[in-house]
Amino acid sequence: MAADNADHADDHADDAADAVVRSADPLAALADERIDHRFKGLPPDAEGLTVGELAAQRRNLFTGGFTTPVLALSAERLEHNLALMETYAERHGLAFAPHGKTSMAPQLFARQMERGAWGITLAVPHQVRVARAFGTSRIFLANELVDAAALRWLAGEMNADPSFGFICYVDSVRGVELMHAALSEAGASRPVDVVIELAAGDEARTGVRTEAECFEIANAVAGADTLRLVGVAGYEGEVPRPSTERVTAWLRRLVALLVELDRSGRFADLPEAVLSAGGSAWFDAVASVFAEVPELSSPVLKLLRSGAYVSHDDGHYRKLTPFNRVPGEGGLEPAFRLWSQVVSRPSSEQAFTNAGKRDAAYDLDLPEAQVVRRGGVAGGVESPATGIAVTGLSDQHGWLRTSPEAELAVGDWVGMGLSHPCTVFDKWQLIPLVEGDGAVTGYIRTFF
């Protein structure tokens, strides 16, 4: 009995030691989160288990008690996409800072960093705080940061961690003034690195419209000891009426701005100058034009920021992916599938599922019906969704139009491809990571 008690004491000590290790590693600590009502689609009988315990059970997505609607992320396709963009960036001499606002999933940030990413791109202060909470050491903020409270937090973060690398946009003299005032008041111990954002045209979103204004902003940055100008950047996805020719012309204008700023001595004392662009639709043009950059007074960090690749999609990016234009480079694979259940079949031409706007992206394209599991989880017979089309979404219903050849009954599961991953991830806090045989081997936690 004494020996048994000693064994139990050792077990408890080991558990306590493991908990301490996990608390020091916020990514590992995600496995300790308890499954409850917050996480839709997960098995009701998993209530109270930790995420790690549920993952260890390797439940089947279709027979393991998951409820519809449920979003599945393909483990194999995710790995394929991560590997493909790693080799693409290497092949074209690009550093890679994938846009994390697509997923806001620190586990995916970590996998991208393991795949050689320079850092993570984000869009707003909240996202930066999430990334820092999970140990991201380099962040590119593709936005101007003029919020005084956020700048005070940033100054404190940079003061506390000299290894933390941070870059953000500036696109106005007024923005420079606001940044300088807040950082000065906060006692920033080192300057914040900034890049001038060049607008992608007069009809585009943010950014400086003329090169003359860019030099005015560069002068303002030079007069602010809390800031350091390190390069130029922009987003070619905002080029009006984009085409390869129009996007390429704007990218060459961005490169020319970098060259002119360098000739005026702006980057002479830097370890490297930053040149950044690259959404998920035109990164082939970015790679091509960035290969033309001439030698400058400092080495150039050519930073690509494509983020939607991580899951890809069955709509917007499938149509626009650069790999369609340059097939020899490889091909991304859509990694999401949303499973919903037929809950109404009012006529031979119409059906309704229980997934709607709360579950599926709909800002650019409607979901695409791809496969049907007859009889739901009980049947397990999967076939193409012939004659079935999604025609609309209500808050919690999908509208299906069915033609005579469609075999569909109440209770069937419909697997749908989704468009625009940026508005898929934000609808799901805990996403099952599913292998080809249906086994759920992990869960991706998001923070929106």
Side-chain angles (χ1 to χ4, degrees):
M1 181 65 72
D4 288 344
N5 287 339
D7 288 342
H8 285 309
D10 288 343
D11 289 342
H12 288 308
D14 289 342
D15 290 343
D18 289 342
V20 169
V21 171
R22 285 194 297 271
S23 67
D25 181 352
L27 280 172
L30 290 174
D32 295 329
E33 192 164 15
R34 295 286 172 183
I35 301 295
D36 58 24
H37 59 275
R38 292 171 296 164
F39 306 122
K40 60 185 180 180
L42 301 191
D45 66 353
E47 178 94 14
L49 294 177
T50 67
V51 172
E53 289 168 343
L54 181 57
Q57 293 180 1
R58 294 178 61 91
R59 294 197 188 193
N60 187 279
L61 184 72
F62 307 107
T63 61
F66 291 84
T67 64
T68 55
V70 60
L71 180 67
L73 181 62
S74 165
E76 293 88 353
R77 291 186 170 197
L78 172 65
E79 178 59 27
H80 167 84
N81 293 342
L82 289 168
L84 180 65
M85 285 303 289
E86 177 189 22
T87 57
Y88 182 87
E90 289 177 351
R91 187 160 59 247
H92 291 280
L94 301 170
F96 192 31
H99 214 317
K101 60 92 178 172
T102 299
S103 69
M104 282 309 297
Q107 290 151 296
L108 298 184
F109 296 174
R111 291 185 65 173
Q112 289 167 317
M113 297 294 284
E114 290 166 2
R115 287 288 188 174
W118 170 93
I120 298 295
T121 297
L122 296 163
V124 292
H126 157 71
Q127 297 170 358
V128 176
R129 292 184 62 201
V130 170
R132 285 297 288 164
F134 286 89
T136 303
S137 59
R138 280 191 186 140
I139 292 172
F140 186 103
L141 183 68
N143 219 336
E144 189 167 56
L145 181 58
V146 294
D147 184 292
L151 286 163
R152 286 194 296 271
W153 173 85
L154 176 63
E157 198 75 3
M158 293 180 66
N159 290 351
D161 183 0
S163 68
F164 173 37
F166 179 85
I167 301 172
C168 72
Y169 284 173
V170 289
D171 81 343
S172 66
V173 171
R174 174 62 174 161
V176 170
E177 292 169 349
L178 289 171
M179 291 187 73
H180 177 59
L183 292 168
S184 296
E185 183 181 348
S189 61
R190 58 191 174 104
V192 171
D193 288 344
V194 296
V195 290
I196 295 174
E197 182 194 7
L198 180 68
D202 290 339
E203 303 169 46
R205 196 169 54 192
T206 56
V208 187
R209 266 43 182 179
T210 70
E211 280 73 3
E213 292 174 281
C214 290
F215 275 84
E216 291 174 9
I217 293 167
N219 291 337
V221 172
D225 60 4
T226 57
L227 303 175
R228 181 175 69 160
L229 182 64
V230 297
V232 299
Y235 174 45
E236 75 290 339
E238 285 295 312
V239 169
R241 301 170 298 282
S243 64
T244 299
E245 293 73 23
R246 292 174 68 87
V247 168
T248 297
W250 177 80
L251 286 165
R252 287 186 172 141
R253 185 180 163 204
L254 183 69
V255 170
L257 175 61
L258 180 77
V259 171
E260 289 304 311
L261 285 167
D262 183 64
R263 285 175 179 166
S264 69
R266 309 288 176 165
F267 309 133
D269 298 327
L270 295 179
E272 60 187 6
V274 176
L275 173 66
S276 182
S280 294
W282 298 98
F283 55 77
D284 57 331
V286 173
S288 177
V289 173
F290 280 14
E292 302 170 0
V293 176
E295 185 174 343
L296 303 184
S297 60
S298 298
V300 178
L301 178 72
K302 302 171 185 177
L303 194 60
L304 182 69
R305 304 194 310 272
S306 311
Y309 83 97
V310 70
S311 62
H312 198 44
D313 72 358
D314 277 297
H316 180 68
Y317 288 115
R318 181 184 64 184
K319 301 169 190 172
L320 293 176
T321 176
F323 293 122
N324 289 341
R325 295 187 291 270
V326 194
E329 295 272 20
L332 295 167
E333 297 178 353
F336 275 139
R337 179 164 283 172
L338 177 65
W339 288 96
S340 63
Q341 193 166 27
V342 178
V343 294
S344 181
R345 189 79 160 100
S347 75
S348 61
E349 298 177 345
Q350 196 173 40
F352 293 87
T353 73
N354 61 353
K357 293 179 180 178
R358 300 290 180 261
D359 314 296
Y362 60 92
D363 58 322
L364 295 179
D365 299 293
L366 288 171
E368 175 186 274
Q370 295 178 330
V371 294
V372 175
R373 289 181 68 88
R374 312 292 176 193
V377 296
V381 178
E382 197 168 295
S383 59
T386 304
I388 302 171
V390 180
T391 59
L393 296 175
S394 299
D395 284 353
Q396 207 59 68
H397 287 95
W399 295 59
L400 305 185
R401 183 181 65 248
T402 56
S403 56
E405 69 268 28
E407 297 181 25
L408 199 63
V410 169
D412 289 349
W413 282 33
V414 179
M416 296 184 287
L418 301 175
S419 177
H420 204 199
C422 299
T423 53
V424 176
F425 278 103
D426 64 355
K427 300 177 186 301
W428 296 84
Q429 294 185 61
L430 200 60
I431 303 172
L433 188 63
V434 185
E435 294 191 341
D437 62 359
V440 179
T441 59
Y443 297 84
I444 301 299
R445 184 70 158 93
T446 65
F447 293 85
F448 281 94

